[in-house]
Amino acid sequence: DAYLIPHRPHLNNLLELGVKAYELPFFCDPDIFKPIPAYQRIWDWKSPEFFFLGNIGKNSQTEYREEVFLSIAENHKVLTCCDFRLKHRNIDYFHPIKSLKIQNWLANRALINISFDYFPGINDYANFNPKNVLVPYDFDYSYAIRQRLFFLTATGRPVIIEKHPEVERFFKNDIDIIMWSTIEELISKSAHYTNNPQELNQIGDNALKTTMNNHTAELRLTQMLFPIL
């Protein structure tokens, strides 16, 4: 038996334990997450500038993500589709939506999609049991790419995310993704790209090409599973 690991920092730890493991990065399904046709954009004049799909949570990530949203919302309209309502004049809220088609539609309508890879502390998450951990988790879980990132880039809309080595393996900063390292840089880049729609749209187009050329489910099977078998 072999284990397929989406998070590369875990790989060497598992190999050192004698576990047969291979890296299998996350991917997208282009039949679900994709650019929407023009006729579905008739309400784009009401679209938010920023959209977030995911969880804010009730743990150490809550304060961190709340700071990000509030910093963006000082000057931009934000729509969150998550588990936690933030009270701010520029933040609208949807309850979590399970339909992938609706998630795709909402992500398509935003100017920029917000994604998170930073986890301040895994040990305070619900159902986390350190007794079940075989490898050190403090460093490994500082940054972890989520599958949602590839879902969002497949829509052809730009994604803004924290800068870290793992995401830099798959995307290029300010070419096919927007990365930030500090709140000040986040605010600066948010202002720059919303005021420069041609640059912004080019990043979205590049993200779509990168995703379709490298990160679809079919390509992952070809690249990763067949060599193992």
Side-chain angles (χ1 to χ4, degrees):
D1 293 339
Y3 288 87
L4 302 175
I5 309 300
H7 187 44
R8 185 178 64 161
H10 279 168
L11 193 59
N12 287 336
N13 291 328
L14 290 170
L15 292 174
E16 289 175 1
L17 291 171
V19 177
K20 189 177 182 181
Y22 300 89
E23 183 187 10
L24 179 64
F26 285 124
F27 47 84
C28 75
D29 183 344
D31 291 329
I32 299 176
F33 288 89
K34 56 188 175 182
I36 60 176
Y39 73 87
Q40 292 186 14
R41 295 188 176 277
I42 57 175
W43 298 108
D44 272 10
W45 62 279
K46 289 186 176 181
S47 298
E49 291 177 285
F50 289 81
F51 174 64
F52 171 70
L53 172 68
N55 293 319
I56 298 179
K58 294 181 179 180
N59 43 56
S60 57
Q61 75 179 15
T62 306
E63 183 177 348
Y64 164 70
R65 293 191 176 187
E66 184 175 0
E67 180 184 11
V68 170
F69 290 127
L70 295 178
S71 297
I72 294 174
E74 281 303 305
N75 297 297
H76 306 281
K77 295 289 185 181
V78 179
L79 174 63
T80 61
C81 181
C82 60
D83 59 336
F84 192 88
R85 182 191 294 270
L86 294 173
K87 295 181 179 180
H88 191 281
R89 68 186 186 281
N90 281 336
I91 299 179
D92 291 327
Y93 171 79
F94 274 167
H95 288 287
I97 296 172
K98 293 184 178 180
S99 169
L100 297 180
K101 289 185 178 180
I102 295 178
Q103 291 178 12
N104 179 67
W105 183 74
L106 290 169
N108 263 273
R109 296 182 68 244
L111 289 181
I112 302 174
N113 287 295
I114 303 170
S115 191
F116 291 100
D117 281 351
Y118 177 57
F119 295 83
I122 192 67
N123 57 330
D124 62 358
Y125 278 57
N127 301 320
F128 178 83
N129 185 351
K131 294 181 180 179
N132 296 330
V133 176
L134 297 178
V135 297
Y137 59 86
D138 287 336
F139 171 77
D140 284 355
Y141 277 88
S142 295
Y143 291 94
I145 292 181
R146 314 297 300 278
Q147 186 160 16
R148 188 177 300 118
L149 173 60
F150 298 106
F151 290 171
L152 295 174
T153 56
T155 66
R157 298 307 306 154
V159 175
I160 191 165
I161 194 169
E162 306 100 328
K163 185 177 182 180
H164 63 95
E166 287 301 299
V167 76
E168 289 179 299
R169 295 174 57 209
F170 301 107
F171 297 96
K172 296 180 180 179
N173 191 17
D174 296 324
I175 301 296
D176 50 17
I177 202 167
I178 304 167
M179 301 183 197
W180 60 275
S181 299
T182 64
I183 291 295
E184 291 74 20
E185 185 178 22
L186 170 67
I187 294 171
S188 175
K189 285 197 168 186
S190 297
H192 173 80
Y193 281 113
T194 53
N195 288 320
N196 292 274
Q198 288 186 335
E199 289 184 42
L200 186 63
N201 290 332
Q202 187 61 59
I203 290 175
D205 291 343
N206 293 342
L208 177 61
K209 292 177 183 177
T210 297
T211 304
M212 292 302 102
N213 289 336
N214 301 285
H215 306 304
T216 65
E218 182 178 0
L219 286 168
R220 282 289 187 269
L221 287 172
T222 302
Q223 296 166 353
M224 310 305 299
L225 292 182
F226 290 167
I228 294 174
L229 299 176

